[in-house]
Amino acid sequence: MDSDRRAALLSIPLLGQLVALAAANPDPAAGVPPEGAAAPQALASRSVPFEQATHTVERYGETWRYFKGATAELSACTAWRVKLNSHAAPHPPHTHDEEEMMLVTEGAGEIVIGDEVTPIAAGSMAFCAGGRVHGIRNTTGAPLTYYYWKWRR
């Protein structure tokens, strides 16, 4: 097993703790379908081998989608692997409603959260609350690989 996948697997217990924390403070109105509408089906509990993740080649590098959908506790949840080309960013710093965590497993670069720019390397991790400006960028001539998880109640 390569070090990228090993690091991601070791971070899964942390992701479970974050989901449990989000579930402990539920907003009763969040994720409630309109009256008479069927609730969305939750993601099934399962394991996704690297070879079965949905792979896409992008202008900035490659992505692998492992999970995307609602859970029993969250209205939206995604888990991805991204490998950035040298000196690339997937997009400019941006905002969205979901909370997000990123785990860098290979390479070096920088993460922007608000007005703060932090140098990152393998083993670095970031959390960004929903609605905050954030982004990641490879600042070297070698690939930068990271995993990210986003979720919303």
Side-chain angles (χ1 to χ4, degrees), residues 20 23 27 53 65 67 69-70 72 77 82 84 86 104 108 123-124 136 143:
D27 174 357
R65 186 184 76 221
F67 297 101
C77 181
V82 179
L84 293 177
S86 65
V104 178
S124 298
I136 187 168

Side-chain angles (χ1 to χ4, degrees), residues 123-139:
S124 298
M125 194 167 198
F127 168 77
C128 188
R132 293 282 318 264
V133 172
H134 64 283
I136 187 168
R137 184 169 74 95
N138 184 348
T139 58

